[in-house]
Every structure is written in structure tokens, then in C-alpha cells.
Amino acid sequence: MYAIVITGGKQYKVSQGEIFRVELLQEKEGAIIELPALFFSNGEKVLAGKDASKVLVKAEVISHGRGTKIDIFTYKAKKNIRKRQGHRQPYTELKVTEIKG
């Protein structure tokens, strides 16, 4: 059984008990949140579109963090222009506790 949920402008394929990372959410650790389902399948029944909106996907917020560092280096040849930047994308780690459909 799995569902496709949307959060932070991205879609994730999740199943019960799975831990996955999404864009940073403003929820406290330990909070239970509901995610809207776009698609649901349990092997014999498939729901999509408006039918899938009846599916309830609950997830628990496990932790917040920052991803690995991405180095950005820009330069222009023969101009002595160099620019170095770094970026760490914040994330929220969720664990799917329940999928009802």
C-alpha cells in the first residue's frame, strides 16, 4: 500500500512506516500532520484525483535539520573576478504513521 502526497511543492511516494525528508515545515518535533494525497494504491484498489482526496495520510515530525553543503564557485576568466558561496537546504524529517483509504 502506498500513496503519493504533496508538500512544499514536491510530490513524494510514501508507504506506512517510511521516513522521508521534505522542505522545512513550521511544526514542532513530535507533532502529527496530515498530508494531502494525490494518488493511492493498495494493490487492488487505485484512487486518483478527487477520489484520492478522501485518503488520509498522517505523518509524525521526527526532526529538523540542514542538508549537505553545496559549494558554488563563480569566476570570469582573465578578469580576476571570483566568488565563492555555500548553501545548506533546511529540511524536516517525517515518518508516515497511518494511511487510511
Side-chain angles (χ1 to χ4, degrees), residues 14-92:
V14 297
S15 57
Q16 194 159 351
E18 184 177 347
I19 296 174
F20 65 105
R21 290 181 177 182
V22 299
E23 295 293 322
L24 185 65
L25 299 174
Q26 299 301 321
E27 303 289 335
K28 293 187 177 185
E29 293 182 13
I32 303 292
I33 61 171
E34 293 181 8
L35 300 171
L38 300 175
F39 184 86
F40 171 76
S41 174
N42 65 356
E44 55 199 44
K45 183 169 66 169
V46 174
L47 299 174
K50 290 185 180 181
D51 297 332
S53 64
K54 299 172 188 171
V55 175
L56 183 67
V57 178
K58 288 188 178 181
E60 178 186 357
V61 177
I62 294 178
S63 65
H64 300 290
R66 292 171 65 191
T68 58
K69 187 167 188 169
I70 298 171
D71 288 322
I72 303 149
F73 185 74
T74 306
Y75 80 100
K76 297 194 184 241
K78 302 174 192 167
K79 303 290 184 202
N80 199 21
I81 297 173
R82 282 150 178 67
K83 181 180 175 185
R84 184 185 171 279
Q85 280 184 298
H87 177 74
R88 291 181 68 189
Q89 186 69 24
Y91 65 83
T92 299

